Amino acid sequence: MSFLEIDGRAVGYRLLGDPALPLVVLAHPLGMSQAVWDDLLPVLLPRYRVLSWDLPGHGSSAAWLGEEITPENLAAELLALVDQAGAERFHFVGTSIGGVIGQQLLSRHGERLLSATLTNTGAVIGTAEAWQARAKAVRELGLAAMAVDIVPRWFGPAACEREPALLKGWNTIMGRGDANSYALLCDMLGRTDFREQLQGHGVPLLLVGGSDDIATPPESLRTLAQCSGAGEPVILEQVGHVPSVECPAVFAELLVKRVS
């Protein structure tokens, strides 16, 4: 684990692999951490240099210092880390809010991207009212209390059956996060709409979803495909919201085939 100070905050990141290899940047979902990518590393590292980091107030990254977070704030943080790694262009993979960061890159920084893979996300995710309600509840109750209801939405039944402690483990991780940073990211998602911003980006784009994802169902990916000019999304069967955790071998192989 390494740290980079960005705008007065310590941001936790990992930069692994041979500097001579192409760089892949991985952006994790809301409420989780860069640990979601751990099971992909044995497949990715022989082929790529890999950069992952923790969102504000998540994992090893410090809480957000301001009163608002925007997709451009998150993209700027990512680009600062990429610059630290000494890379001009890179492949990007992002899940859920990580996919929102990817859409910001596509719409404003496409010249930096070699390719983008966006999973379990949407040009619009949920409703403004739902995100406002969640932000309010998190500020009042804290993340540990909210995790019990939120974490079960991440994983499909098949993953929970295979790994009985999966939900308890991620409840613990989510509960250790910074509530205000999480709430600010909820506020951001309630304001975010990329439906009119993604045409003409010129970046090879792969969309991936899960058949059992209730947070961003397959239809969300199909709508994003129409907005972005991407091909038909790949929908992974019996997978929920986090394919890197639920089916890491399948997802890693998909990335190796499509990220080039």
Side-chain angles (χ1 to χ4, degrees):
M1 182 70 66
S2 300
F3 295 90
L4 181 67
E5 185 171 323
I6 303 175
D7 295 331
R9 296 173 48 251
V11 176
Y13 73 97
R14 293 186 299 191
L15 180 61
L16 305 172
D18 186 343
L21 294 173
L23 181 66
V24 174
V25 180
L26 307 174
H28 69 78
L30 181 67
M32 303 186 84
S33 75
Q34 60 186 306
V36 300
W37 308 112
D38 286 356
D39 290 342
L40 273 63
L41 295 178
V43 177
L44 295 181
L45 283 174
R47 300 167 175 85
Y48 305 102
R49 197 180 192 199
V50 177
L51 171 65
S52 62
W53 86 106
D54 289 316
L55 293 174
H58 290 59
S60 56
S61 288
W64 192 253
L65 299 176
E67 297 181 357
E68 179 180 271
I69 304 177
T70 68
E72 183 57 30
N73 292 146
L74 300 179
E77 189 165 279
L78 177 159
L79 292 173
L81 292 168
V82 171
D83 291 343
Q84 175 76 2
E88 180 60 32
R89 302 184 71 200
F90 57 94
H91 300 282
F92 177 84
V93 182
T95 295
S96 192
I97 195 173
V100 172
I101 300 171
Q103 292 172 67
Q104 180 67 31
L105 294 171
L106 288 169
S107 65
R108 296 291 185 269
H109 305 283
E111 76 284 353
R112 301 292 301 268
L113 295 175
L114 295 167
S115 74
T117 301
L118 310 183
T119 98
N120 306 81
T121 190
V124 176
I125 300 176
T127 66
E129 293 77 16
W131 286 116
Q132 289 164 6
R134 184 182 293 191
K136 182 175 184 292
V138 165
R139 288 185 173 107
E140 292 176 350
L141 302 175
L143 281 173
M146 293 294 294
V148 176
D149 293 324
I150 294 172
V151 171
R153 294 173 54 83
W154 293 347
F155 304 110
C160 295
E161 184 176 344
R162 285 194 306 270
E163 190 175 348
L166 184 66
L167 299 185
K168 288 185 177 179
W170 282 103
N171 279 345
T172 299
I173 291 173
M174 181 176 176
R176 291 173 176 165
D178 175 66
N180 186 58
S181 299
Y182 183 99
L184 289 172
L185 290 167
C186 291
D187 292 335
M188 183 198 84
L189 289 171
R191 299 188 304 266
T192 299
D193 184 343
F194 278 100
R195 285 177 292 187
E196 304 298 327
Q197 302 181 49
L198 296 175
Q199 291 294 334
H201 52 75
V203 176
L205 175 58
L206 172 65
L207 303 180
V208 181
S211 65
D212 296 343
D213 186 353
I214 60 175
T216 52
E219 189 55 38
S220 178
L221 276 297
R222 296 188 181 103
T223 300
L224 178 57
Q226 295 171 358
C227 298
S228 64
E232 183 69 14
V234 176
I235 304 301
L236 302 173
E237 293 299 321
Q238 294 188 307
V239 173
H241 193 58
V242 197
S244 61
V245 172
E246 296 175 76
C247 59
V250 172
F251 187 48
E253 193 61 32
L254 181 63
L255 292 180
V256 168
K257 288 180 179 178
R258 298 299 295 267
V259 174
S260 60

